[in-house]
Amino acid sequence: WLCQNHGDVSSDTESAGGIVGYVCNIGITVENCKNDGIVSAAKNAGGIIGDDESWGVQIKSCRNDGHIDSAANGGGIIGWMGGNSNNVTQSVNSAQVNGKESAGGIIASDATGYQSKIQDCENQGVIICQASRGQIVGRKTNNNPTSIENCKENGSTMAASIFAGGSLWMILAMS
């Protein structure tokens, strides 16, 4: 791994990430990074990135093995993903993810504008949420498409909820 986090990360207010807490207005690449610390936040907790409000963010070959807990958006790889042209590829979450509003094995809440992709990713962890949850994406918050390709779902989703699904709750809830 090029970078690793073994410590716990927490925020009483906004974003917390095992590698990066918050990305804004800059395209970055996070590659070959691993988190095995506990990540918790009142809003937007992610094993790799807590809150991605940027364009052109690339997450490649990353892994989260640390428990994720968020009152709002808890994601194994990303808590909140906004902006455009953001890609998550070849990344794995193996940990339990808890969220009250949304929880996802890879991304808790996807608000991307266009041209974003989740490819060759896998969730092996348990996803627990009172509202929107999914093995890959917990919630999609707009009508702009995000491509989900060749992703594996080996975890499980738990708890009574409003919406629940495999890869993306909205696809199953609206079909």
Side-chain angles (χ1 to χ4, degrees), residues 97-108:
V97 177
N98 297 332
K100 286 187 179 177
E101 292 178 18
S102 65
I106 304 302
I107 299 170

Side-chain angles (χ1 to χ4, degrees), residues 1-16:
W1 300 103
L2 293 178
C3 66
Q4 296 185 54
N5 174 50
H6 302 292
D8 297 343
V9 180
S10 67
S11 171
D12 293 336
T13 56
E14 288 288 331
S15 308

Side-chain angles (χ1 to χ4, degrees), residues 84-99:
N84 300 311
S85 302
N86 296 320
N87 297 314
V88 182
T89 58
Q90 299 172 333
S91 295
V92 176
N93 172 59
S94 68
Q96 179 174 314
V97 177
N98 297 332

